[in-house]
Amino acid sequence: MKNLKAVLLSSLFTLTTTSLYAQSCDCTKNFEWVKKTFEVNDAGFEYALKQKGNQAYEDHNKRTAEKVKTAKTFTECSSLLYDWLTFFRSGHISIRPINKQEAQQASSNQKSENKYSDWETFPINDKDFKNYLEKGKISDYEGIWETEPYKIGIKKKGNQYIGFIIESGAETWTKGQVKLKMNVSDDKINSIFYKRDHSADESTDIKFIGKNHLQIGDFTLSRVYPKFEDEPQYVQYFKSISADKPYIEKLNETTLYFRIPSFRASEKQKIDSVITANKERILSTENLIIDIRNGTGGSDASYSQILPLIYTNPIRTVGVEYLSTQLNNQRMLDFINKPEYGFDEESKKWAKTSFDRLEQEHGKFVNLNKSVVTTTKYDTIHPYPKNVGIIINQGNGSTDEQFLLAAKQSRKVKLFGTTTFGVLDVSNMYYVPSPCNEFQLGYSLSRSMRIPDFTIDSKGLQPDFYLDRSIPLYEWTEYVSNVLNGK
């Protein structure tokens, strides 16, 4: 299963290029190609059609066909094509640019700097501001803060706090430009945070989370200077939520915390290394918390070493069927011929056998396993950990959900958090280039044999313990620990 976050990001990109299409690559022709390719090859097409009806689909096609006639740029067209795909499902679909389009985007974005050259600035140099901060007599919001991809200075001016760019990783913002404003009075506070495109995001929801993090509407700023000693729960939360690699740490005498930011195939070795280094600790500690919040999806192999540690009884997994078409079956040959897939000789033999079988069943769904359900058994049920809490949220989908389906069959496991994203029934993405090689269409090759009795798409998986909004995000880990410890 493919990386969920990457799929969603690539699906929702916005290009700024304004170059006109070549005559042979207009949006109408691109739409016709996407429509035909998806209808013939996507494993979820027929299922979605049964759910929503032919009339709804025809109406959707007519609306899109009219809209694409007026699309003059790739930016406009790509958005319309992606909108057409969302009729079928919310994930495991994609319209993503090929490299030459990314180059055009970079060129266009470079030109866009001039668009905001006359934006309001705050006249103070870095050295003077640092000297001001070092004097120590500053207001609560004043200081140097980070929120990717910016480093922002905040200084008080009258009853207003001005946030200005110190460093920028976005081409639309330059040093010294005013990024935010906060107006503070005795009874109220409000803010304007200017986004990447300089549009204004206004909010009255402004609060500190601990001493070193500031929530302004939907944006979180982390204090760079001056930094204050903070309470452990805040330190733990922001360490975990900003982690880019897996780690294990001791929460208390009876509880370990295992943070896994991603199940991408590239992360498997890192996850396995952390498990190997901490296996003795895991198997001698009463409670284990596994935090996969805001995951990326990825590869089922990435969690394979976790399951034996939390296992109590055989794990039943309902398989998938692959839609056999000439285009879809090409992926099995890709597995064999393209080194980037990393297939060993045994895996290549499987791919060749699968290709041969699929080729005999064009137009049909094919189960490549011997049965609908496979059962996984391990030799050992470890006494520890006794209790396992897995923290989840709406950011978890695809492979994350497949992991949860397996993990929660253990009597030791409970899920904590909010309902997951719900994008698993139609999966195994494949990307094919458009005729003019401008973009890739991403669609799915397989559908779960759980359909229709146990569907997850658009529903998600529900937690055993729902953590509602009265429990702040930074308290989730402590809450789970308390439940596992019987407090």
Side-chain angles (χ1 to χ4, degrees), residues 50-61:
K50 288 179 182 178
Q51 298 295 109
K52 298 190 176 183
N54 288 320
Q55 187 58 55
Y57 181 51
E58 290 303 321
D59 292 344
H60 181 60
N61 289 336

Side-chain angles (χ1 to χ4, degrees), residues 107-288:
S107 174
S108 178
N109 284 341
Q110 188 69 30
K111 295 175 183 177
S112 71
E113 290 184 18
N114 294 332
K115 182 177 180 181
Y116 306 108
S117 59
D118 59 349
W119 191 262
E120 180 183 0
T121 59
F122 189 75
I124 185 170
N125 65 50
D126 293 349
K127 184 176 180 181
D128 289 344
F129 184 54
K130 195 73 180 287
N131 288 338
Y132 169 76
L133 295 176
E134 286 174 351
K135 292 178 182 178
K137 296 180 180 180
I138 60 174
S139 302
D140 286 345
Y141 301 107
E142 291 186 305
I144 299 173
W145 304 79
E146 280 185 337
T147 181
E148 287 293 331
Y150 312 103
K151 183 177 288 185
I152 299 171
I154 299 180
K155 191 176 186 304
K156 190 174 184 181
K157 184 178 181 181
N159 289 329
Q160 190 176 61
Y161 290 86
I162 306 294
F164 55 94
I165 295 291
I166 294 176
E167 295 177 9
S168 173
E171 66 285 335
T172 50
W173 285 92
T174 57
K175 185 177 176 63
Q177 291 183 323
V178 173
K179 182 69 173 170
L180 70 92
K181 294 180 180 180
M182 293 188 291
N183 298 298
V184 181
S185 61
D186 293 337
D187 59 343
K188 64 179 181 179
I189 181 171
N190 59 72
S191 69
I192 301 176
F193 191 101
Y194 297 101
K195 295 185 288 188
R196 184 181 287 253
D197 63 358
H198 288 242
S199 61
D201 187 273
E202 300 185 32
S203 178
T204 56
D205 183 18
I206 301 149
K207 60 187 176 184
F208 276 102
I209 304 175
K211 299 177 181 177
N212 294 306
H213 302 277
L214 180 61
Q215 189 78 38
I216 303 177
D218 294 329
F219 303 92
T220 301
L221 282 64
S222 299
R223 192 191 297 271
V224 176
Y225 185 86
K227 215 154 192 176
F228 304 113
E229 184 176 352
D230 222 334
E231 296 177 32
Q233 61 180 341
Y234 300 116
V235 175
Q236 190 276 334
Y237 170 69
F238 282 101
K239 175 185 176 182
S240 67
I241 217 67
S242 62
D244 59 2
K245 59 184 178 180
Y247 67 88
I248 287 179
E249 66 181 12
K250 179 180 177 181
L251 279 188
N252 50 58
E253 290 301 318
T254 57
T255 311
L256 290 179
Y257 174 86
F258 189 2
R259 173 64 172 142
I260 305 174
S262 171
F263 283 128
R264 292 190 187 100
S266 61
E267 299 301 298
K268 174 176 169 54
Q269 185 176 357
K270 297 175 187 177
I271 294 170
D272 291 351
S273 295
V274 170
I275 291 173
T276 299
N278 292 275
K279 189 171 182 178
E280 186 176 334
R281 295 172 71 194
I282 295 171
L283 297 180
S284 60
T285 304
E286 185 174 351
N287 303 311
L288 175 66

Side-chain angles (χ1 to χ4, degrees), residues 449-463:
M449 287 182 281
R450 289 181 284 97
I451 297 173
D453 299 323
F454 181 25
T455 56
I456 292 172
D457 283 11
S458 302
K459 298 177 183 176
L461 291 169
Q462 294 189 343

